[in-house]
Amino acid sequence: MRVAIRDHGLPTRADAQHLATARCPAPSVQQIVAADAVPPPPVLAMEQPAYLGSDPVDLARYHDPAVFAVEVEAIWKRCWQWVCREDHIPEPGDYYTYEVAHLSYLVVRQEDGSVKGFVNSCRHRATKLKAGEGLGSAAEIRCPYHGWSWSNDGALRQVPCAWDFGHVDPAAHALPEVRVGRWGGFIFINPSPDGPDLLDYLAPLPDHFAGWDIANRFVEVHVAKELACNWKTALEAFLESYHVLETHPQILTGVGDANVQYDCHSDHITRFYAANGTNSPHLAQPLGEQELLGQVLIGDSSLHDPAMQVGAGETARTVMARLLRHAMGEKYRTDLSRFSDSEMIDTIEYHVFPNMVLFPGLSLPMVYRFRPISSDPERTLFEILFLRPNPDDGAAPEPAEPTRVSEAESYASAPGMDPGMGAVYDQDTANLRAQQQGFHASATGVQVLGNYQESRIRHFQMVVDKYLAAGEPRA
Ligand code: FES
């Protein structure tokens, strides 16, 4: 059933001051969370908006093979990007293969617990050393073609018929290394030897996440789907909430969509902060607190309790947060009492340039990754992972195996995916193919962006342009 929506007007020309400061007239996220029974930590109580201009943005960036070729050199060969979780490769010899565009790398756990990263290509005749992508474990790195082999630290170990390769200096034929960085339980690589180290690149993300212990979580769900669009097309669908009104009308009763907060913290880090358990400003007839409680969209619908009641002086948000602290605490065998109402129920989403989106909240605990496939600028691999808290006692669960879902299949078919969440992702996917086709059909060759709600998209595009222009990593 479609809910009644307020009428919309047409925009009127505004001066520069208004363009920079216009906001939805509904209560801001900060005003909403200030009324919570357990208020959010300081890191959520700050705002860092950016007005970056109102110029149209060209569309060639989404499909032009020449632009894509420069992106491979200037972004994918020069930026930090995460490969796997620490838990994917716990033992010496464990490895994880990572592919982006036509590039391929592997990270390998060493005897001393450190991790090395290598280019996944043989020093003999360039065959991929590990086929496909994902997990494995081996005592050495051995090429499947002629059997050259390397120790797991990358040193050349054996060359069949060595008598025929007297011209090969073993020391000069180690596997080419790429930089490895580790933060928050993620293992990152950077193919470039130049540029900032990982923590400088991520700033201020590690400071923001100081209270969220993201390293102490396990992969409960891992779903991957190939999309018929550019990697930036797919990523940008998750940088704004403007589309919720038209694309996801079923969640308007319970999500503050038009009053989402958007922050631009650094070149590499932006944030989206949405209050849940509240009315969409678009609703013509806002729901009462008890009605909101029955509507709240939370990542795991099995945790809803239909008998919940909003007591005197309480809000739906506070009741939902209290329920989830208890229900999730029992389910994951951990104490969640330190988390605020907002951390329990809201959508808190950080974008890490270029292709990582990370949610520290407890009930919406996703990680997204967007990667171009092969040399085609109009194919993207989109992955969704759910990170759940490790138990306070006992071993952490093993990471879930990735499940591939075809473009035509519903996300809801993936193991562990909540049906309501799956439906939302399906709606997003339907937009992406149509948008990519529309880039080619456009009469103007440009797009128009909202000044605030789509400020993270503009910011992202500006950082892409900086990399393409400079060909150098940015601090
Ligand atoms: Fe790798 Fe020959 S191509 S051993």
Side-chain angles (χ1 to χ4, degrees):
M1 183 185 71
R2 181 136 189 151
V3 294
I5 302 300
R6 295 179 194 276
D7 286 340
H8 309 293
L10 287 171
T12 53
R13 298 289 293 178
D15 59 25
Q17 172 70 16
H18 186 75
L19 292 176
T21 58
R23 298 287 184 275
C24 172
S28 68
V29 172
Q30 295 300 330
Q31 289 170 323
I32 293 169
V33 302
D36 287 345
V38 185
V43 72
L44 291 179
M46 50 95 85
E47 293 187 68
Q48 208 162 355
Y51 172 60
L52 301 168
S54 304
D55 291 341
V57 177
D58 79 276
L59 300 179
R61 66 184 60 233
Y62 298 101
H63 57 77
D64 185 339
V67 173
F68 182 78
V70 179
E71 284 181 351
V72 171
E73 298 300 318
I75 295 176
W76 300 113
K77 288 187 179 180
R78 290 180 177 272
C79 285
W80 287 100
Q81 50 213 281
W82 72 277
V83 170
C84 63
R85 296 282 292 170
E86 295 274 0
D87 288 349
H88 281 119
I89 54 168
E91 301 296 332
D94 291 351
Y95 64 85
Y96 202 102
T97 315
Y98 169 77
E99 312 227 309
V100 59
H102 56 266
L103 308 173
S104 186
Y105 305 96
L106 66 153
V107 293
V108 185
R109 181 74 68 184
Q110 304 295 298
E111 290 292 336
D112 64 359
S114 64
V115 177
K116 283 181 176 282
F118 304 107
V119 176
N120 186 20
S121 177
C122 181
R123 294 297 307 272
H124 176 217
R125 282 166 56 195
T127 302
K128 271 190 187 173
L129 297 164
K130 304 293 182 188
E133 165 153 323
L135 280 172
S137 190
E140 62 177 8
I141 302 168
R142 187 185 189 91
C143 180
Y145 198 166
H146 307 94
W148 285 34
S149 66
W150 290 262
S151 303
N152 280 330
D153 64 3
L156 185 62
R157 189 164 175 265
Q158 187 170 218
V159 174
C161 301
W163 56 265
D164 207 18
F165 291 90
H167 53 295
V168 168
D169 174 6
H173 286 75
L175 290 180
E177 285 196 46
V178 296
R179 281 194 289 165
V180 171
R182 297 157 73 179
W183 171 81
F186 292 94
I187 296 172
F188 290 74
I189 60 162
N190 188 331
S192 171
D194 305 318
D197 67 25
L198 177 64
L199 292 186
D200 287 339
Y201 180 97
L202 293 177
L205 192 78
D207 288 343
H208 282 225
F209 275 65
W212 292 326
D213 198 12
I214 203 78
N216 193 26
R217 301 193 189 187
F218 72 96
V219 179
E220 182 186 59
V221 173
H222 189 168
V223 185
K225 180 177 273 204
E226 186 175 328
L227 303 174
C229 66
N230 183 266
W231 69 278
K232 301 185 297 297
T233 314
L235 168 63
E236 290 170 3
F238 298 92
L239 296 184
E240 50 88 357
S241 187
Y242 182 45
H243 69 282
V244 168
L245 172 64
E246 191 64 26
T247 301
H248 311 302
Q250 77 276 18
I251 66 171
L252 289 172
T253 50
V255 173
D257 57 337
N259 43 358
V260 165
Q261 175 179 317
Y262 300 91
D263 300 306
C264 297
H265 299 299
S266 69
D267 271 6
H268 300 136
I269 307 296
T270 66
R271 180 171 72 179
F272 162 133
Y273 184 18
N276 295 325
T278 189
N279 283 297
S280 164
H282 292 298
L283 294 183
Q285 295 162 335
L287 304 185
E289 293 295 323
Q290 186 62 46
E291 291 174 295
L292 280 170
L293 191 54
Q295 297 288 330
V296 170
L297 175 84
I298 295 295
D300 184 348
S301 56
S302 70
L303 297 176
H304 280 262
D305 178 354
M308 286 184 299
Q309 293 292 319
V310 180
E314 289 190 317
T315 64
R317 290 174 52 79
T318 285
V319 177
M320 178 55 71
R322 189 170 65 227
L323 172 94
L324 284 174
R325 269 188 214 97
H326 176 71
M328 290 185 67
E330 283 202 336
K331 181 172 180 178
Y332 297 106
R333 307 201 320 274
T334 187
D335 178 7
L336 301 176
S337 61
R338 67 188 180 282
F339 292 109
S340 65
D341 294 354
S342 184
E343 291 163 298
M344 290 305 306
I345 68 170
D346 287 337
T347 311
I348 309 162
E349 180 223 76
Y350 287 79
H351 173 216
V352 181
F353 186 89
N355 67 333
M356 178 187 202
V357 176
L358 180 57
F359 297 65
L362 273 298
S363 57
L364 292 166
M366 292 82 78
V367 183
Y368 301 153
R369 174 163 59 184
F370 305 85
R371 286 179 283 168
I373 297 173
S374 191
S375 299
D376 186 344
E378 300 187 83
R379 289 171 66 213
T380 291
L381 187 67
F382 172 37
E383 289 167 277
I384 302 167
L385 292 80
F386 283 24
L387 295 186
R388 298 294 193 181
N390 286 331
D392 292 339
D393 51 24
E398 290 200 1
E401 292 277 332
T403 301
R404 282 273 187 150
V405 177
S406 73
E407 192 192 356
E409 279 181 296
S410 170
Y411 280 98
S413 67
M417 178 63 73
D418 180 75
M421 295 284 286
V424 170
Y425 289 124
D426 291 344
Q427 291 166 328
D428 287 320
T429 303
N431 284 342
L432 297 176
R433 177 182 282 273
Q435 187 182 20
Q436 191 68 33
Q437 291 172 344
F439 292 150
H440 293 280
S442 169
T444 63
V446 296
Q447 61 181 327
V448 176
L449 297 175
N451 294 313
Y452 181 61
Q453 294 179 91
E454 293 172 320
S455 58
R456 293 172 80 208
I457 294 176
R458 185 179 296 280
H459 179 277
F460 170 56
Q461 294 296 355
M462 292 173 81
V463 178
V464 168
D465 289 347
K466 281 184 189 177
Y467 271 92
L468 298 193
E472 293 289 339
R474 298 191 59 80

